[in-house]
């Protein structure tokens, strides 16, 4: 899979994957204005980062800073207030 192709998990798209910079973007089409929780877990299921984001009704691009997170495999969890939880795997590889 090319690095710039989004990886879809339900309504969630995370790109680029692998992540080669200090951030990645989550694309999500929200049916209404709401908040969502973004969580990043390592391969041992340890919570590495958790943030709350505000979503507008319609298309949203959420940029997640991962400057201090080490390279490796991670699980990104995205839980909107009024929606289903989505998860996807990412690889951080800034070598």
């Amino acid at each position: 899979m090319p690095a710039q192709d989004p990886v879809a998990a339900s309504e969630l798209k995370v790109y680029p994957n692998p992540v080669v910079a200090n951030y990645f973007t989550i694309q999500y089409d929200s049916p209404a204005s709401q908040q969502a929780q973004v969580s990043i877990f390592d391969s041992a299921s340890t919570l590495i980062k958790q943030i709350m984001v505000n979503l507008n009704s319609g298309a949203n691009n959420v940029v997640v800073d991962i400057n201090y997170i080490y390279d490796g495999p991670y699980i990104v969890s995205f839980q909107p207030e009024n929606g289903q939880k989505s998860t996807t795997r990412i690889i951080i590889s800034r070598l």
Side-chain angles (χ1 to χ4, degrees), residues 37-42 44-51 75:
Q37 180 174 285
V38 177
S39 305
I40 302 174
F41 299 91
D42 67 12
S45 298
T46 302
L47 180 63
I48 302 299
K49 181 173 186 159
Q50 189 169 66
I51 59 172
I75 300 291

Side-chain angles (χ1 to χ4, degrees), residues 16 20 27 33 35 43 49 53 58 85 91 93:
V20 294
Q27 282 185 340
S33 295
Q35 286 193 317
S43 57
K49 181 173 186 159
V53 296
K85 180 178 177 181
I91 302 291
S93 181

Side-chain angles (χ1 to χ4, degrees), residues 4 14-16 26 29-30 34 36 46 55 60 62 67 73 93 95:
Q4 295 301 319
V14 177
Y15 67 90
I26 297 173
D29 288 326
S30 182
Q34 61 182 316
T46 302
L55 303 174
N60 290 269
V62 178
N67 188 44
S93 181
L95 302 176

Side-chain angles (χ1 to χ4, degrees), residues 52-65:
M52 293 298 292
V53 296
N54 293 315
L55 303 174
N56 296 316
S57 180
N60 290 269
N61 289 312
V62 178
V63 177
V64 180
D65 177 25

